[in-house]
């Protein structure tokens, strides 16, 4: 067994380092599946497993540890950016604006609380930022703050505050605190969950975008003899008239098709616009009476995946599939959102389109657009790392601000995050393939975060127990509890009494504003509803971005 002893005592070897990281991650992930009273710390157990390993004497080379930590953080924030990018700008529409303003209120309250504690207790800001990151369970913010601290202190560990230990000390109550606020708010407001669900359903029913198909019989004399394009010109929103039934014969509709009395038009549009069509065109009729089931129809519909690179550079008007193939594209499904495309819509890799037409012609369109399952499943590694390269370059650009002794940088967290958001949102306009399947994105993201947390735990382990037993650990816990509770209480009260949010929406808001998946899982389980997840998704992109930026700015302005 001498070989095993030599392996485990050579702390500089690659094999030893791999074993330590693998054990920490495996044990941490396994513990993360355990729930106590319905609550789990999830992936954060990797952090505590790293602390335990370090306390047992299993340390790794600090240079390797630093590289693994930073690289893991980059992988994590970049894939987060790819995930939230498509919804980042959409979240600023309609009710999303209100949700995000409340999330900003939570962040501002948190920052003001930290600054107040800094001046009242004279606790150094570096330590407070570590406590804050744990108190709001924001791991990317911790990574961004650590990178900024290294720039401020020129990488001298002797003078740098230990953010990792402060983060680990504050994290447990960061998870528990938000759950306690949810339960306290429920008791204070005497919430009936069933009533709240019904109120939420009624409130959002008018705003839901439901793409539907319906048939209308043309009875408006003003339309007789006119082209179908007249309807497009009259109604100022996106919709598609895919087919017509004229005297029992089903034909494909185009902008130049002339309208005749008694025509039955099949429309694909947002359900809330149905009344406008009825007012303009005529009376609603049963689809099945004129457009039988697809098995009995001359024309059918198919869902096609866009995987052909040549398609990305053109708009739907330029592709003109109606003229070239005699088919119509009625819907596009992208990043979890289904919408009716316009003429200037540019498709992106991974889009799923609904095509109406003759089966043989649909096959031709399918071949031109790709529809390759294999390409959808193939990870675009080159594009992924080119995006990371651009992100690191952007994060390394110094921005001089008057009155600030050191230049401000977006850092290894902010740079990749911003580039990923921009690529995922606008990459298709420049023929840049940004698509990463959900499973691939999740795998890379989870690998990144467990590598980061394992490194943070191994780094904090050297001082964690000493800080708790003989240092300021308990004091930091109390400060972390204040940073957790004060912003949550302020935000929840404003959301309820000023913004008039229902209880389930507030739970999702608080979880998203704290970037806290365990709290979201608790809210979903408690309410037996997915309503909190909708609000969570609305605020998560902006919150993630701001939490990363705020952590760096506090270091720059106050350290």
């Amino acid at each position: 067994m001498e070989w095993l002893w030599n392996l485990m005592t050579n702390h500089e070897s690659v094999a030893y380092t791999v074993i330590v990281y693998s054990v920490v991650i495996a044990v941490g992930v396994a513990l993360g599946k355990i729930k106590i009273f319905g609550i789990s710390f999830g992936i954060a157990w990797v952090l505590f497993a790293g602390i335990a390993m370090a306390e047992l004497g299993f340390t790794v080379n600090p240079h390797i540890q630093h590289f693994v930590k930073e690289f893991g953080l980059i992988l994590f924030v970049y894939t987060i950016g790819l995930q939230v990018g498509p919804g980042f700008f959409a979240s600023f529409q309609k009710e999303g604006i209100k949700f995000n303003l409340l999330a900003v209120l939570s962040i501002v309250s948190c920052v003001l609380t930290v600054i107040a504690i800094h001046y009242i207790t004279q606790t150094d800001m570096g330590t407070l930022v570590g406590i804050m990151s744990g108190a709001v369970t924001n791991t990317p913010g911790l990574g961004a703050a650590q990178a900024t601290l290294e720039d401020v202190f020129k990488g001298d560990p002797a003078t740098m505050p230990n953010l990792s230990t402060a983060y680990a000390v504050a994290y447990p109550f960061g998870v528990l605190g938000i759950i306690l606020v949810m339960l306290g708010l429920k008791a204070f407001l005497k919430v009936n969950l069933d009533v709240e669900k019904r109120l939420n359903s009624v409130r959002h029913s008018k705003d839901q975008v439901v793409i539907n198909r319906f048939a209308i019989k043309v009875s408006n004399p003003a339309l007789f003899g006119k082209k179908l394009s007249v309807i497009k010109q009259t109604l100022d929103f996106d919709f598609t008239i895919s087919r017509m039934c004229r005297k029992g014969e089903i034909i494909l509709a185009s902008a130049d098709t002339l309208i005749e009395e008694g025509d039955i038009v099949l429309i694909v549009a947002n359900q809330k616009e149905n009344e406008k069509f009825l007012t303009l065109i005529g009376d609603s009729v049963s689809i099945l009476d004129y457009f039988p089931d697809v098995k009995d129809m001359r024309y059918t519909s198919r869902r096609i995946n866009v995987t052909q690179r040549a398609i990305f550079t053109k708009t739907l008007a330029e592709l003109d599939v109606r003229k070239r193939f005699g088919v119509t594209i009625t819907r596009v499904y992208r990043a979890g959102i289904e919408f009716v495309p316009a003429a200037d819509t540019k498709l992106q890799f991974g889009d799923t389109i609904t095509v109406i037409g003759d089966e043989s012609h649909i096959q031709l369109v399918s071949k031109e657009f790709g529809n390759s399952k294999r390409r959808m499943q193939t990870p675009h590694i080159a594009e992924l790392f080119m995006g990371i390269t651009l992100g690191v370059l952007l994060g390394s650009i110094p921005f001089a601000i008057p009155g600030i002794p050191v230049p401000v940088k977006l850092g290894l967290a902010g740079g990749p995050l911003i580039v990923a958001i921009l690529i995922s949102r606008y990459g298709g306009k420049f023929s840049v393939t940004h698509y990463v399947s959900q499973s691939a994105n999740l795998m890379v993201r989870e690998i990144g975060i467990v590598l980061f947390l394992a490194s943070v735990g191994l780094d904090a382990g050297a001082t964690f127990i000493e800080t708790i037993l003989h240092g300021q650990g308990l004091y930091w816990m109390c400060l972390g509890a204040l940073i957790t509770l004060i912003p949550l209480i302020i935000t929840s009260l404003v959301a309820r009494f000023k913004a008039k949010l229902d209880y389930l929406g507030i739970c999702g808001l608080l979880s998203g504003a704290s970037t806290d998946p365990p709290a979201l899982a608790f809210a979903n389980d408690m309410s037996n509803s997915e309503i909190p997840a909708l609000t969570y998704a609305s605020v998560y992109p902006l919150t993630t971005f701001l939490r990363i930026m705020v952590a760096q700015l506090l270091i720059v302005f106050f350290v």
Side-chain angles (χ1 to χ4, degrees):
M1 298 296 288
E2 184 179 352
W3 65 270
L4 181 59
W5 174 259
N6 291 333
L7 173 63
M8 300 309 295
T9 55
N10 183 4
H11 289 195
E12 300 297 321
S13 73
V14 174
Y16 166 83
T17 303
V18 170
I19 288 174
V20 170
Y21 269 96
S22 298
V23 171
V24 168
I25 292 170
V27 172
V29 171
L31 291 173
K33 297 178 181 179
I34 300 174
K35 289 187 176 182
I36 302 174
F37 301 111
I39 302 171
S40 170
F41 291 149
I43 205 73
W45 271 111
V46 175
L47 169 72
F48 298 111
I51 291 173
M53 286 289 283
E55 287 290 343
L56 294 173
F58 294 99
T59 57
V60 299
N61 183 294
H63 297 291
I64 296 176
Q65 177 184 295
H66 178 74
F67 168 76
V68 172
K69 179 180 69 177
E70 299 296 344
F71 187 63
L73 177 67
I74 291 170
L75 290 178
F76 176 67
V77 297
Y78 188 79
T79 48
I80 281 286
L82 290 180
Q83 178 195 19
V84 304
F88 183 80
F89 298 97
S91 66
F92 298 110
Q93 300 173 3
K94 296 183 179 178
E95 197 167 27
I97 296 177
K98 178 169 68 175
F99 292 151
N100 279 283
L101 286 175
L102 290 169
V104 170
L105 171 65
S106 177
I107 295 170
V108 171
S109 301
C110 181
V111 170
L112 293 178
T113 301
V114 169
I115 293 174
I117 291 174
H118 170 65
Y119 284 113
I120 293 172
T121 67
Q122 297 301 308
T123 305
D124 70 273
M125 185 57 75
T127 299
L128 279 176
V129 170
I131 295 172
M132 179 189 74
S133 299
V136 298
T137 65
N138 188 254
T139 307
L142 171 67
Q146 286 182 320
T148 306
L149 264 183
E150 290 173 4
D151 289 338
V152 173
F153 287 91
K154 308 302 180 185
D156 183 6
T159 57
M160 287 176 56
N162 194 333
L163 270 67
S164 301
T165 302
Y167 172 90
V169 165
Y171 192 97
F173 191 82
V175 175
L176 295 174
I178 185 171
I179 293 173
L180 292 175
V181 170
M182 289 180 187
L183 294 175
L185 189 65
K186 181 183 177 184
F188 174 69
L189 299 175
K190 299 179 180 178
V191 168
N192 183 313
L193 291 177
D194 292 332
V195 172
E196 293 287 328
K197 289 179 189 178
R198 288 196 294 269
L199 288 174
N200 185 281
S201 178
V202 171
R203 181 177 298 175
H204 293 92
S205 60
K206 296 180 181 180
D207 296 326
Q208 289 178 346
V209 177
V210 179
I211 304 299
N212 74 139
R213 294 187 304 170
F214 57 100
I216 298 180
K217 185 175 183 177
V218 180
S219 59
N220 182 357
L223 297 177
F224 300 163
K226 301 290 179 63
K227 295 181 180 181
L228 275 178
S229 57
V230 170
I231 299 177
K232 276 276 188 183
Q233 295 165 4
T234 306
L235 300 177
D236 188 23
F237 51 83
D238 290 331
F239 63 92
T240 299
I241 298 178
S242 59
R243 282 164 283 174
M244 297 177 65
C245 181
R246 176 174 295 168
K247 298 177 181 178
E249 180 184 0
I250 298 175
I251 60 176
L252 278 178
S254 69
D256 295 327
T257 302
L258 295 178
I259 304 172
E260 296 182 7
E261 182 180 2
D263 283 347
I264 310 297
V265 292
L266 183 62
I267 298 172
V268 180
N270 188 345
Q271 192 175 60
K272 70 179 183 180
E273 311 290 359
N274 287 13
E275 287 297 326
K276 296 179 182 179
F277 288 102
L278 295 173
T279 301
L280 175 65
I281 301 173
D283 301 318
S284 177
V285 296
S286 171
I287 291 181
L288 295 179
D289 289 345
Y290 298 94
F291 303 94
D293 189 76
V294 288
K295 293 181 180 179
D296 304 319
M297 284 171 48
R298 177 186 169 194
Y299 295 109
T300 186
S301 65
R302 290 284 183 272
R303 294 173 73 86
I304 296 174
N305 295 316
V306 179
T307 59
Q308 189 64 261
R309 184 174 294 276
I311 299 299
F312 309 158
T313 60
K314 301 175 182 177
T315 64
L316 288 182
E318 293 170 326
L319 292 171
D320 198 7
V321 295
R322 175 67 184 84
K323 184 177 181 180
R324 294 168 58 213
F325 300 104
V327 302
T328 302
I329 298 175
T330 59
R331 280 166 283 184
V332 177
Y333 184 82
R334 175 185 301 164
I337 300 173
E338 188 176 46
F339 60 92
V340 176
D344 59 351
T345 298
K346 184 176 286 188
L347 298 176
Q348 300 180 10
F349 185 94
D351 284 351
T352 299
I353 59 174
T354 300
V355 181
I356 303 288
D358 181 83
E359 183 66 40
S360 60
H361 289 145
I362 288 179
Q363 292 297 329
L364 295 175
V365 174
S366 178
K367 184 178 295 185
E368 174 155 322
F369 279 53
N371 200 31
S372 172
K373 302 295 183 184
R374 184 182 61 82
R375 288 198 65 190
M376 291 281 288
Q377 295 171 354
T378 301
H380 297 268
I381 297 296
E383 291 87 346
L384 178 71
F385 280 95
M386 282 303 300
I388 288 175
T389 300
L390 293 175
V392 172
L393 289 174
L394 177 64
S396 302
I397 299 174
F399 299 94
I401 299 178
I404 304 301
V406 295
V408 178
K409 298 179 183 178
L410 294 173
L412 296 179
L417 178 69
I418 291 175
V419 167
I421 288 174
L422 293 176
I423 286 179
S424 65
R425 177 63 178 84
Y426 298 107
K429 296 182 180 295
F430 304 99
S431 304
V432 177
T433 301
H434 68 274
Y435 177 81
V436 178
S437 67
Q438 185 175 359
S439 58
N441 183 295
L442 182 61
M443 174 62 78
V444 175
R445 188 165 79 241
E446 291 299 296
I447 288 175
I449 191 61
V450 295
L451 288 175
F452 176 81
L453 287 173
S455 300
V456 171
L458 291 169
D459 179 48
T463 58
F464 184 79
I465 298 299
E466 179 66 23
T467 302
I468 293 293
L469 297 180
H470 306 292
Q472 294 184 297
L474 296 177
Y475 175 63
W476 290 352
M477 284 184 181
C478 295
L479 296 182
L482 292 175
I483 297 172
T484 298
L485 294 175
I486 293 174
L488 291 177
I489 293 172
I490 292 173
T491 304
S492 59
L493 292 177
V494 172
R496 183 67 174 189
F497 296 108
K498 184 69 175 177
K500 305 300 182 183
L501 258 63
D502 56 83
Y503 174 73
L504 300 180
I506 293 174
C507 289
L509 170 69
L510 297 182
S511 302
S514 297
T515 61
D516 193 341
L520 175 64
F522 177 83
N524 285 339
D525 291 342
M526 174 183 64
S527 62
N528 193 26
S529 167
E530 293 297 320
I531 294 173
L534 299 177
T535 313
Y536 179 96
S538 296
V539 303
Y540 183 84
L542 179 64
T543 299
T544 300
F545 175 75
L546 290 180
R547 291 287 185 191
I548 290 173
M549 295 296 104
V550 161
Q552 296 181 91
L553 292 175
L554 285 173
I555 295 292
V556 169
F557 282 99
F558 291 95
V559 172

